[in-house]
Amino acid sequence: MTTTTRTYRTCPLCEATCGIAIDLGGDDGRQVLGVRGDDADPFSRGYLCPKAYGLKALHEDPDRLRAPLVRGADGELHPASWDDAFGVAIERLREIKAEHGADAIAVYLGNPSAHSLDAMVYGQVFLRALGSKQRYSASSADQLPKMVSAALMFGGGLTIPVPDLDRTQHLLMLGANPLASNGSLMTAPDVRGRLDAIRARGGKIIVVDPRRTETAARADEHVAIRPGGDAAFLLAIAHVLFEDGLVRLGACEGRVRGLDEVRAVAARFAPERVAARTGVAAATIRRLAREHAAAPSAACYGRIGTTCQEFGTLASWAVDVVNVLTGNLDRAGGAMFTTPAVMTGRHRKRSDARFGRYRSRVKGLPEMFGELPVATLADEIGGQDSGRVRALVTIAGNPLLSAPGAERLAGAVTALEFRVAVDPYVNATTRLADVILPPPSPLERAHYDVALYQLAVRNVARFSAPTFAPAPGQPAEWEILLTLSKGMMGMAAASLAMADDLVVRELVSRELAELAESGAPAPVDATAALAALGGRRGPGRVVDALLRLGPYGDGFGARPGGLTLDVLESSHPHGVDLGPLEPRLPGVLRTGDGLVDLAPALVLDDVPRLEAALDVAPPELVLIGRRDLRSNNSWMHNLTPLIKGPARCTLRVHPDDAARLGLSDGGGARVASRAGEVVAAVEISDELRPGVVSLPHGFGHDLPGVRMGVARAHAGVNVNVVSDDEFLDAPSGNAAFNGVPVTVVPAPAPTAAA
Ligand SMILES: Nc1nc2c(c(=O)[nH]1)N[C@H]1C(S)=C(S)[C@@H](COP(=O)(O)OP(=O)(O)OC[C@H]3O[C@@H](n4cnc5c(=O)[nH]c(N)nc54)[C@H](O)[C@@H]3O)O[C@H]1N2
Ligand SMILES: Nc1nc2c(c(=O)[nH]1)N[C@H]1C(S)=C(S)[C@@H](COP(=O)(O)OP(=O)(O)OC[C@H]3O[C@@H](n4cnc5c(=O)[nH]c(N)nc54)[C@H](O)[C@@H]3O)O[C@H]1N2
Ligand code: SF4
Ligand SMILES: [Mo]
């Protein structure tokens, strides 16, 4: 007879951080029998979504790599030993660096690195060891505009206000579909329950989205905005707030600069002037502005539809301008800053908003937070001059499906001299790699949401120990990254333990130095801290250090009874609730003068571009994206429980557009932009605003060499062949996946289903 044991951990698959209970059994006790919600998790309270079941499928997926692959003389990828794989990767990367300099090697960090404690901490170590300016990440295909606007207004990189969902009486949500995405830049497990609760307590939800999404259908009101209209729409709301004398700064009273500039900008965006471009009637904008101001508490929140678009930085800024002008920034029920238990740079005083310290070689795009926009990666690889990129390291990324101008990028990556991937799959991107180093399964590693708790609607902390030990010989992901790092530094012979001690010492020293700079007495020195941290290695020790130096920590003895990782693990196996969001002004600000900067130059300089757009007729047909509850960008399509069901990679078209364009439901359509074209299956749906078509991203798995059997059978097409790598949010360089001008004509239905 086999016994069942139940273990608990956090689901690492999206931003919601749900607690899950996993039943293990089988002869060796290593089989996953079931996955359910952890009722004792104080934050998710038993909730989980269908993707959590994907964890079992992911753990067991035969296509998930269990050994490194190295490209052989025959041009094919073959299994290799870890020593050989590391050897090849480090030798070639060092040769290229020695011959052409560090900037000849580009690194791209993908989205799961924000969910992997190992990659989060040791990815940065690798970047420093490499020393290349050619750094890219999924951020510039995602939230970068929000990071830019928030850093300029508040000073910190992830100092982004989150909607206080559990207390708000009024939620104005733009370009987000949390019923499919489970929430983003807003960590909130069971977001549907939390949204329903707003309405149940008499509050109101307004969803601004060109598509009547699952979330919009459940809200009080849906405003079908024209793609790219959000900045103008929000500035028109600000216009009405000023015009009607409704501006109340609340907690921001006396703590802002630039109010006059905002007033002057808003004056140019009368609702009547923006109505055509936004597709929202002036009377509606005026009413929404007044309702927002009148609500006892209100939060304005924007996501992908506001960042991955032509005016992403302006829209992201305008979201928080509305929060400030209505007195809702930093108040319960408004938009609030979190107080996370673990955070680097918590005591830092200087602003993170330093941009444009260098520029991309070909298009001259400014660096943002030490990264270049992924939309220009193909440019940087191309050409024959000596400054070009010759090698690419991808860590938890699939840019060939996730970045714009995908066909050009595929050509560029193919032409590189050398490619390394740290990734569990042979997918669209990694099929081109020369070396693939697979991390262990998510169940074989520790987990702590360093990034996502910084954006959580309650302050919480939960640590997960590995459910299983990795298979013999399988290094942890942090060990993979640290091995590469010391190899690049010419320290291949040094032990991992020694290298890790250096990493932790450096991190702790920096935190202690910033603490001292802030005027607070440092509780210990780095040597004493290292000794107190004990025998842990890897990211667990890093979490312990930051936890102890954090707001709830034991301060290495300075605050007895405070949190340590031991306490978190032993006393709070289901996580600990650290309370609702607390007011953080002015301490949270790092803008230099202690004020919120309402009118950063980088943002306001883009206003003329927005005004110019008001005066031209919008394109006849534009493309936007779409997410499905059971998807996760490009990489979970190989899991049968998640991909089964009706084809998902369809071009949704409004019936009026379908009639005009001669498209039929189930037929095909050729979707073309300046960048490229694909043929997709048509699904007619009146959810869409006429003039807007929608196709999800993350598909197109039928490329030569992809070793994902299930995903191949549901290949779909890669929308990012059509997404234009020159259609960007100007200030940040972020990809504008939404609002891409396209033409659509009937075509034979595609054979590759999805
Ligand atoms: N199931 C699932 N969950 C996920 C993911 C996934 O792929 N699948 N991905 C994860 C990731 S990486 C992220 S970043 C988050 C994203 O989280 P969300 O932003 O909540 O997810 P989306 O579904 O992309 O929602 C964007 C919405 O913007 C709308 N939109 C498009 N253009 C515009 C516009 O110009 N203005 C306005 N107002 N709206 C517009 C779209 O119709 C869409 O409904 O989701 C995360 N969660
Ligand atoms: N058209 C369009 N394009 C988009 C978007 C859109 O809305 N529309 N959304 C954008 C957004 S928000 C994002 S975040 C990006 C995502 O862009 P990417 O991060 O480039 O793409 P993912 O599909 O998330 O691919 C993740 C990769 O990480 C691997 N992986 C999974 N888990 C792990 C792990 O634990 N360790 C390691 N080392 N690897 C792992 C997977 O196998 C896969 O190769 O896509 C962007 N692209
Ligand atoms: S909502 Fe996200 S964190 Fe929660 S179970 Fe689903 S995928 Fe996992
Ligand atoms: Mo994302």
Side-chain angles (χ1 to χ4, degrees):
M1 223 188 85
T2 61
T3 53
T4 307
T5 48
R6 181 164 290 182
T7 62
Y8 300 93
R9 61 181 299 125
T10 305
C11 173
L13 296 179
C14 86
E15 297 179 44
T17 72
C18 300
I20 53 173
I22 304 178
D23 286 336
L24 307 176
D27 292 338
D28 55 358
R30 282 183 61 96
Q31 268 175 41
V32 176
L33 302 180
V35 177
R36 64 195 77 228
D38 178 2
D39 295 328
D41 182 299
F43 196 26
S44 63
R45 295 175 301 216
Y47 175 82
L48 89 183
C49 87
K51 265 197 301 200
Y53 302 107
L55 271 178
K56 171 175 158 66
L58 183 59
H59 183 67
E60 293 167 358
D61 186 356
D63 285 340
R64 189 172 57 76
L65 299 176
R66 266 76 169 176
L69 297 178
V70 174
R71 195 168 297 282
D74 61 356
E76 300 293 322
L77 285 167
H78 298 286
S81 72
W82 282 97
D83 279 351
D84 287 349
F86 281 130
V88 174
I90 291 166
E91 189 188 321
R92 280 296 284 135
L93 289 175
R94 279 178 65 87
E95 274 170 18
I96 289 168
K97 185 174 172 178
E99 202 169 329
H100 305 286
D103 294 345
I105 304 171
V107 183
Y108 173 85
L109 274 159
N111 170 274
S113 66
H115 301 259
S116 156
L117 176 59
D118 292 42
M120 179 99 208
V121 177
Y122 291 83
Q124 297 304 314
V125 174
F126 177 68
L127 288 173
R128 283 202 301 278
L130 186 64
S132 170
K133 290 200 190 75
Q134 289 285 339
R135 291 162 60 158
Y136 301 83
S137 81
S139 290
S140 56
D142 189 346
Q143 81 288 358
L144 181 61
K146 188 75 204 180
M147 289 177 66
V148 169
S149 74
L152 290 165
M153 295 176 83
F154 312 117
L158 262 188
T159 306
I160 294 172
V162 301
D164 186 12
L165 271 198
D166 295 344
R167 289 181 290 189
T168 194
Q169 286 298 104
H170 192 92
L171 180 63
L172 177 62
M173 174 154 52
L174 304 98
N177 185 14
L179 260 55
S181 69
N182 280 307
S184 181
L185 299 187
M186 172 181 81
T187 285
D190 187 19
V191 68
R192 176 205 288 242
R194 289 174 197 268
L195 291 176
D196 286 354
I198 296 176
R199 301 188 64 201
R201 61 178 175 262
K204 183 170 181 181
I205 302 176
I206 303 105
V207 172
V208 180
D209 196 304
R211 186 184 140 228
R212 192 177 64 252
T213 59
E214 297 84 341
T215 310
R218 232 177 149 80
D220 295 276
E221 184 172 350
H222 171 218
V223 178
I225 196 166
R226 219 186 260 285
D230 303 81
F233 168 82
L234 290 165
L235 281 169
I237 289 197
H239 179 100
V240 178
L241 296 173
F242 282 113
E243 193 175 66
D244 290 9
L246 297 173
V247 171
R248 303 277 180 276
L249 296 187
C252 286
E253 195 66 62
R255 293 195 174 128
V256 301
R257 70 179 123 96
L259 187 61
D260 290 340
E261 283 105 310
V262 173
R263 186 187 290 111
V265 169
R268 305 210 290 272
F269 289 83
E272 292 69 20
R273 183 167 182 218
V274 307
R277 175 64 183 87
T278 61
V280 186
T284 305
I285 299 177
R286 287 184 183 277
R287 175 176 55 78
L288 289 172
R290 289 167 189 149
E291 287 178 6
H292 203 95
S297 65
C300 183
Y301 160 76
R303 202 47 201 92
I304 286 289
T306 58
T307 57
C308 292
Q309 58 132 297
E310 209 181 343
F311 299 105
T313 301
L314 273 170
S316 299
W317 161 78
V319 162
D320 286 324
V321 165
V322 168
N323 283 323
V324 170
L325 296 183
T326 53
N328 281 296
L329 188 82
D330 205 41
R331 93 157 155 194
M336 300 189 78
F337 300 101
T338 63
T339 313
V342 168
M343 183 182 174
T344 54
R346 194 169 75 90
H347 302 282
R348 196 173 301 153
K349 285 289 164 227
R350 96 187 125 69
S351 168
D352 288 331
R354 285 161 297 140
F355 307 125
R357 288 162 294 180
Y358 50 92
R359 288 182 174 264
S360 70
R361 180 178 54 97
V362 176
K363 288 190 173 149
L365 299 179
E367 150 279 330
M368 310 303 280
F369 299 107
E371 290 184 16
L372 295 170
V374 68
T376 201
L377 176 56
D379 302 317
E380 296 295 289
I381 295 172
Q384 285 306 317
D385 59 294
S386 59
R388 72 180 186 270
V389 168
R390 294 157 193 269
L392 173 67
V393 180
T394 57
I395 301 169
N398 192 4
L400 263 52
L401 293 190
S402 54
E407 220 150 55
R408 262 193 81 211
L409 185 57
V413 172
T414 306
L416 285 166
E417 290 169 25
F418 192 59
R419 290 140 296 228
V420 177
V422 180
D423 203 285
Y425 281 112
V426 184
N427 61 23
T429 300
T430 61
R431 77 198 158 99
L432 299 174
D434 299 281
V435 178
I436 307 180
L437 304 165
S441 125
L443 299 182
E444 295 167 339
R445 57 172 85 177
H447 184 82
Y448 184 94
D449 280 299
V450 176
L452 305 177
Y453 289 154
Q454 297 187 40
L455 302 158
V457 302
R458 279 188 81 83
N459 296 312
V460 292
R462 181 174 177 147
F463 184 82
S464 311
T467 306
F468 303 117
Q474 165 74 53
E477 185 162 29
W478 70 270
E479 294 175 319
I480 297 174
L481 294 167
L482 193 55
T483 303
L484 290 174
S485 306
K486 63 191 182 67
M488 289 314 292
M489 293 170 75
M491 295 168 46
S495 73
L496 275 177
M498 195 200 101
D500 193 39
D501 283 348
L502 285 179
V503 167
V504 178
R505 175 176 291 274
E506 194 189 312
L507 180 127
V508 169
S509 302
R510 196 171 55 233
E511 292 297 316
L512 291 173
E514 287 174 355
L515 188 64
E517 267 167 54
S518 79
V524 281
D525 64 16
T527 303
L530 232 68
L533 289 168
R536 272 198 187 87
R537 290 291 176 274
R541 183 164 51 161
V542 172
V543 168
D544 195 16
L546 294 171
L547 194 59
R548 297 174 81 165
L549 290 172
Y552 316 93
D554 78 341
F556 286 99
R559 283 184 302 274
L563 285 179
T564 66
L565 190 51
D566 283 340
V567 170
L568 192 58
E569 278 203 271
S570 58
S571 305
H572 307 285
H574 305 279
V576 57
D577 182 28
L578 301 165
L581 304 183
E582 298 279 351
R584 293 289 317 276
L585 287 180
V588 75
L589 300 176
R590 290 206 261 126
T591 43
D593 58 4
L595 300 177
V596 172
D597 187 358
L598 278 182
L602 187 82
V603 179
L604 293 203
D605 285 352
D606 202 28
V607 169
R609 194 173 62 97
L610 178 62
E611 272 195 278
L614 296 179
D615 301 328
V616 295
E620 200 171 302
L621 203 59
V622 297
L623 175 67
I624 63 169
R626 190 166 83 235
R627 281 175 163 80
D628 181 277
L629 181 60
R630 292 158 305 161
S631 73
N632 198 1
N633 297 328
S634 76
W635 69 277
M636 288 178 64
H637 295 156
N638 210 49
L639 310 176
T640 307
L642 299 185
I643 193 77
K644 66 185 185 207
R648 218 179 281 163
C649 186
T650 56
L651 183 79
R652 287 199 190 152
V653 187
H654 187 274
D656 294 353
D657 289 325
R660 179 170 58 86
L661 299 166
L663 305 175
S664 59
D665 198 73
R670 184 177 308 280
V671 190
S673 72
R674 186 203 68 83
E677 59 178 53
V678 293
V679 173
V682 171
E683 184 183 353
I684 295 178
S685 162
D686 68 1
E687 291 168 352
L688 282 150
R689 187 194 158 90
V692 181
V693 294
S694 157
L695 190 60
H697 73 288
F699 287 92
H701 303 291
D702 52 352
L703 295 166
V706 171
R707 299 187 193 170
M708 299 174 77
V710 176
R712 278 198 91 94
H714 300 267
V717 294
N718 182 0
V719 66
N720 285 331
V721 168
V722 180
S723 308
D724 189 339
D725 53 323
E726 296 196 342
F727 187 57
L728 306 177
D729 167 48
S732 70
N734 197 73
F737 295 118
N738 295 292
V740 180
V742 289
T743 57
V744 175
V745 296
T751 45

